[in-house]
Amino acid sequence: MDATYNLNGGFKPTMKRFADLAGPDYFPTPAWATHALMENEPFDGEIWECACGDGAMSRVLARDGNRVHSSDLYNRGFGEIGIDFNAAKTAADNIVTNPPYNSAEGFVRSGVNLARKKFALLLRLAFLEGANRANTIFAKCPPSRVWVFSERITFYPAGAVQGGSGTTAYAWFVWDKDALSQTELKWFKPGYKAKFSKAA
């Protein structure tokens, strides 16, 4: 039995986001989650959305006049197709994305090297855990800021009927090349979901 569905056949929005083992992990990002980042983290220069999917995040990133380059390994009808971020060599001023869950650690390694100014990933808050990441990512290149959501994000597979609320905590992890301090833990103020939930 598929654990992502209720007994009545309805999709469980409260289940943890999962990786599709037969293909890409594709969960478009709700607009309000990107707005929260953009209202608290200024970005100077072009922004590369390197796992753009259907362009949900890219459209929000471009709203304030930012130059946005969008790409994805898979064809979702938006951006430059066939670009494997984990094999990319081209640098960018800033990189902002919601990575496939099963590729998050690889995205950190690539993003830290390719971003000239800021690199921001939307990840589970639990990404902070784990001995392996403590000894590799966080010991060698810890994020400058971790922005914790006060409200839960619900991710749905593309095309799924939306309803309910999530049970998994998420945060924006920001690596800032100009930051001098150690990792700061910060919280988004409540209200972004209501303010931007209807934004496209």
Side-chain angles (χ1 to χ4, degrees), residues 3-74:
T4 62
Y5 287 84
N6 286 303
L7 293 176
N8 64 4
F11 178 73
K12 286 184 180 178
T14 56
M15 288 295 292
K16 289 183 178 181
R17 173 178 163 178
F18 59 92
D20 178 359
L21 300 181
D25 173 16
Y26 179 47
F27 292 75
T29 305
W32 70 269
T34 307
H35 279 291
L37 174 72
M38 299 305 289
E39 287 202 355
N40 291 276
E41 284 283 345
F43 290 88
D44 179 25
E46 184 184 38
I47 300 173
W48 179 12
E49 213 293 44
C50 55
C52 68
D54 64 359
M57 184 177 292
S58 295
R59 285 188 284 270
V60 176
L61 295 175
R63 282 188 176 169
D64 293 331
N66 297 307
R67 291 179 295 112
V68 179
H69 172 221
S70 303
S71 69
D72 203 302
L73 181 59
Y74 298 94

Side-chain angles (χ1 to χ4, degrees), residues 1 39 46-47 52 72 103 132-134 170 187 199:
M1 179 176 176
E39 287 202 355
E46 184 184 38
I47 300 173
C52 68
D72 203 302
S103 300
N132 183 58
R133 285 191 286 271
Y170 284 87
W187 285 264

